[in-house]
């Protein structure tokens, strides 16, 4: 199994509604046939560049290639 973790932010000029729309679309990646487990969402802690620099995350466990 392979695990991928992606932490990310949107550019400042991306509207909150667009951020939520894109996050919702990214959550659909969990339906791919090779995905065994998938979690995505917005960080619930206040973003702080020194301690918690990312607002969104995705983590997926994927089947082996064999």
């Amino acid at each position: 199994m392979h695990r991928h973790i992606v932490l990310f932010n949107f550019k400042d000029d991306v509207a909150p509604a667009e951020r939520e729309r894109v996050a919702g679309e990214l959550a659909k990646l969990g339906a791919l046939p090779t995905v065994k487990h998938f979690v995505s969402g917005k960080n619930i802690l206040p973003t702080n560049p020194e301690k918690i620099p990312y607002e969104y995350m995705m983590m997926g466990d994927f089947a082996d290639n064999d």
Side-chain angles (χ1 to χ4, degrees), residues 6 8 11 14-15 19 22-24 27 34 38 40-41 44 48-49 56 64:
V6 179
F8 64 99
K11 291 183 178 182
V14 177
R19 292 173 190 222
V22 171
T34 58
F38 189 83
S40 67
I44 61 171
N48 177 333
Y56 290 88
D64 290 337

Side-chain angles (χ1 to χ4, degrees), residues 8-30:
F8 64 99
N9 291 318
F10 289 96
K11 291 183 178 182
D12 292 338
D13 62 346
V14 177
E18 181 66 3
R19 292 173 190 222
E20 294 305 314
R21 186 194 70 74
V22 171
E25 291 297 316
L26 290 172
K28 294 178 182 178
L29 292 172

